[in-house]
Amino acid sequence: MEKEIVLITGATAGIGEATAGLLAENKYRLIITGRREERLEKLKARLGKLTEVYTLCFDIRNRREVEDAVDSLPGEWKDIDVLLNNAGLAAGMDHFHEADAGDWELMIDTNLKGLLYMTRKVAPGMIDRGKGHIVNVGSIAGREMYEKGNVYSATKHAVEALSRGMRTDMLPHGIKVSTVSPGLVETEFSLVRFKGDKERAKQPYKGMKPLSGRDVAEAILFILTRPPHVSIHDLLIMPTAQAAAMTVHRE
Ligand code: NAP
């Protein structure tokens, strides 16, 4: 049987890149996406030795770009079996009353509207074929609020809510919808959140061992490899040293 096609948003770094690597080792056919074209091409050159890889470079915040990118897929890549909605970010970490509204817009446009545009574009094909799996990357921040987490947490709570809504609406069509919600993962996430401030970006991981992108990729592979009648709705994966969003044991 031909291996499934997986479209990964945000494959140029972190969890998305690690998942692309693990899925390539497992011979899935991959559509890797992100804004940084050079990284996409490098990844394609590396993973292309293991499996078939197609790249799509676009900004997920732009509905037109999302639609055009998916429409541009050649025939042999159109039947997407798995959509991994991973692209996302936190921008800033400030008390609500001091936060930058531009940061809020960036998070809402990427984590929420981007995920909605992608899923709305890809899901109808899955429904036509009576088969598909949507995996949304949530966060521990989608389960709890923490100080200064306000809008980032709200977007991840919304991802949880939308996963439930998508699952309910697509139930008669046999579409699986899963959420994978990690705690602290060492990726470019913190560097993006703190806008390139390397010292500040290291703070969340000080004195503890965070998850790696590969750890989360393994959870995603588990979700994808369940038999057809089994759906993992929600998987929370945390570092052993983290009990809750802000409860971290540091040496
Ligand atoms: P990362 O290393 O910064 O990777 C983020 C990815 O998202 C990049 O590939 C980036 O690609 C892509 N992206 C961001 N904005 C985009 C846009 N406008 N259009 C297209 N792609 C965009 O962060 P990560 O930790 O792997 O994050 C992946 C997901 O995990 C996010 O949804 C995040 O909220 C979630 N998460 C992370 C953690 C953590 O501790 N790291 C914990 C829980 C949940 P380009 O820049 O090339 O576009």
Side-chain angles (χ1 to χ4, degrees):
M1 208 176 85
E2 212 165 41
K3 262 293 191 182
E4 293 185 323
I5 297 178
V6 183
L7 187 152
I8 303 176
T9 67
T12 55
I15 294 169
E17 182 179 0
T19 306
L22 184 61
L23 296 188
E25 287 165 31
N26 285 273
K27 307 298 173 200
Y28 285 86
R29 288 182 291 153
L30 301 178
I31 303 170
I32 52 174
T33 78
R35 287 166 302 179
R36 286 170 286 182
E37 189 153 25
E38 204 185 312
R39 286 202 187 192
L40 288 174
E41 289 311 321
K42 273 195 188 148
L43 194 58
K44 182 182 174 178
R46 181 156 64 83
L47 303 185
K49 295 179 185 127
L50 299 169
T51 188
E52 289 171 58
V53 181
Y54 195 86
T55 64
L56 286 177
C57 186
F58 61 92
D59 187 330
I60 203 164
R61 292 171 296 173
N62 184 316
R63 178 150 57 103
R64 191 68 194 269
E65 280 189 38
V66 171
E67 291 172 355
D68 288 350
V70 176
D71 284 338
S72 75
L73 286 168
E76 66 273 27
W77 285 99
K78 277 199 189 299
D79 293 351
I80 297 164
D81 297 290
V82 178
L83 170 62
L84 175 59
N85 281 317
N86 163 74
L89 80 170
M93 195 173 174
D94 301 288
H95 283 125
F96 180 86
H97 49 282
E98 291 164 345
D100 180 339
D103 284 345
W104 290 352
E105 284 167 352
L106 180 56
M107 291 186 278
I108 291 167
D109 289 351
T110 311
N111 302 356
L112 266 188
K113 289 163 83 177
L115 179 142
L116 289 172
Y117 300 155
M118 268 317 296
T119 313
R120 178 65 184 84
K121 187 67 189 165
V122 170
M126 292 177 167
I127 287 173
D128 287 346
R129 294 185 296 280
K131 178 179 167 286
H133 196 162
I134 297 159
V135 181
N136 297 323
V137 178
S139 171
I140 180 68
R143 307 281 192 93
E144 308 172 20
M145 293 306 295
Y146 56 91
E147 190 180 356
K148 302 182 179 176
N150 45 72
V151 172
Y152 176 65
S153 262
T155 65
K156 291 299 180 177
H157 275 75
V159 169
E160 295 262 358
L162 285 168
S163 298
R164 288 199 294 272
M166 290 173 189
R167 190 180 299 126
T168 306
D169 289 354
M170 291 188 256
L171 181 67
H173 303 283
I175 310 300
K176 293 189 193 188
V177 181
S178 305
T179 311
V180 58
S181 301
L184 285 164
V185 192
E186 194 161 18
T187 61
E188 292 177 9
F189 178 85
S190 200
L191 200 61
V192 171
R193 177 170 227 171
F194 299 118
K195 300 168 186 175
D197 182 339
K198 288 190 181 140
E199 272 318 299
R200 208 168 163 207
K202 283 185 203 152
Q203 295 303 321
Y205 313 119
K206 272 242 161 86
M208 59 87 66
K209 188 170 168 60
L211 298 172
S212 64
R214 180 85 178 189
D215 294 326
V216 182
E218 283 170 1
I220 292 168
L221 181 63
F222 175 79
I223 290 172
L224 297 187
T225 50
R226 293 314 85 208
H229 70 291
V230 178
S231 172
I232 306 294
H233 282 190
D234 203 357
L235 194 154
L236 178 66
I237 174 170
M238 303 287 283
T240 306
Q242 186 180 15
M246 283 295 156
T247 311
V248 179
H249 178 71
R250 299 183 195 276
E251 299 293 345

